[in-house]
Amino acid sequence: VERFCEHGVLSPALQPFMGAHRVELGEATYTDARPPLRGAMMSYPVLIRGAPILALQHPSGMVRQGIVSEPPEVRMVMRLEQQRRPPNQGCWLVKEVLDVRHAFAGDMGNSGVGG
């Protein structure tokens, strides 16, 4: 966890996880392996609820112009891929972390997804 936090603060994709009050995982979607190209994949919808302090300030620490009633919520999709070759054979590794607001906006008619 310490290593994740150390490097996560530098990644725009992972910044919503830093200082989150609560992280909720939805029901996973499973996709079968496609040998020889890749192993099985899973996609998890993730709801990240910001810490209460984020109702007063931005994640950067800058004070908001006005106080919002609720801390921010960010919807993400986390994709994992099962590794097929040693030394990580059978392990599930994070392949990508997508912010739903940006990843799907306009692509599939989901422009309103995620707020």
Side-chain angles (χ1 to χ4, degrees):
V1 172
E2 293 84 17
R3 188 175 165 117
F4 175 82
C5 291
E6 178 183 339
H7 296 286
V9 296
L10 302 174
S11 168
L14 299 178
Q15 283 180 351
F17 289 94
M18 303 299 120
H21 179 68
R22 187 174 179 175
V23 176
E24 300 173 13
L25 292 176
E27 189 173 327
T29 302
Y30 179 82
T31 305
D32 291 328
R34 300 283 187 240
L37 302 175
R38 63 166 177 77
M41 294 184 75
M42 284 229 185
S43 295
Y44 282 96
V46 180
L47 175 62
I48 303 167
R49 298 182 189 274
I53 189 68
L54 295 177
L56 306 173
Q57 67 185 31
H58 295 284
S60 66
M62 298 290 293
V63 176
R64 292 185 185 272
Q65 291 296 328
I67 297 174
V68 294
S69 59
E70 294 291 322
E73 291 184 354
V74 179
R75 295 183 186 279
M76 309 282 268
V77 173
M78 187 174 287
R79 294 206 173 119
L80 293 87
E81 183 176 350
Q82 190 174 31
Q83 301 302 293
R84 298 182 310 109
R85 296 190 177 101
N88 296 324
Q89 187 172 12
C91 293
W92 289 89
L93 298 180
V94 175
K95 180 142 177 94
E96 52 190 354
V97 178
L98 304 168
D99 186 330
V100 173
R101 294 172 298 178
H102 307 297
F104 302 118
D107 290 349
M108 301 181 310
N110 296 346
S111 59
V113 174

